[in-house]
Amino acid sequence: MFERSRTRPLVKPAGLVLALTIAHPAALVAADLSCNGLLETGQTMICSGFEPNWALELSCDGGMSTNFIDAFSGDGIQTTPGSITFASENPWQLATSHPVTGTIAYTPGGCTDESDAVRDFTFTPTGAPGLSPPFYPFCCRMK
């Protein structure tokens, strides 16, 4: 009744695109994670702690820079610019001039912040100015 065709297309258009992409990885459009493989140029990541309230803000503008945002001492919020170095990538072990130390890990959908928003990066501090251990992990968001 129904006869199966002995000829079939070699590759459907979508399959052809996939085959070419797999065969040539350079054909993939990749993000330019020019700041330590963590941020694209123009991106900012904010890792906000709470109780006490403080944050680490990482910015990529040709190079990585950082701000320490302090909301737990004094009457107002203080922002102190600084430098940052990385000992490793993915996870990103870091130290800032503030001095804040710790690790940022890529945890897709694995971090829920105090507003119940789900985030993809988790910061686990090991040191922060004016604070004593124990330190607890908290989420990082892209801005």
Side-chain angles (χ1 to χ4, degrees):
M1 203 192 252
F2 293 102
E3 188 174 314
R4 183 178 237 179
S5 171
R6 294 188 189 267
T7 62
R8 60 182 191 150
L10 290 175
V11 180
K12 293 183 180 182
L16 179 60
V17 171
L18 179 60
L20 289 173
T21 302
I22 291 171
H24 300 287
L28 292 172
V29 177
D32 177 23
L33 299 175
S34 58
C35 287
N36 297 87
L38 182 60
L39 298 176
E40 295 178 38
T41 299
Q43 277 188 319
T44 298
M45 176 182 279
I46 301 172
C47 303
S48 302
F50 55 98
E51 295 183 21
N53 293 327
W54 64 280
L56 188 63
E57 181 181 65
L58 309 174
S59 298
C60 178
D61 291 310
M64 189 77 83
S65 62
T66 184
N67 288 316
F68 180 74
I69 303 168
D70 178 354
F72 62 82
S73 62
D75 293 331
I77 297 174
Q78 297 175 343
T79 301
T80 306
S83 60
I84 186 168
T85 57
F86 290 89
S88 66
E89 293 182 5
N90 201 7
W92 293 266
Q93 186 178 0
L94 61 90
T96 73
S97 58
H98 301 107
V100 173
T101 56
T103 303
I104 296 174
Y106 179 57
T107 54
C111 193
T112 303
D113 68 16
E114 66 276 6
S115 68
D116 292 328
V118 176
R119 307 293 182 188
D120 292 332
F121 290 89
T122 303
F123 178 58
T124 304
T126 54
L131 298 176
S132 300
F135 297 106
Y136 301 99
F138 46 88
C139 302
C140 299
R141 64 181 169 86
M142 296 298 207
K143 176 176 149 185

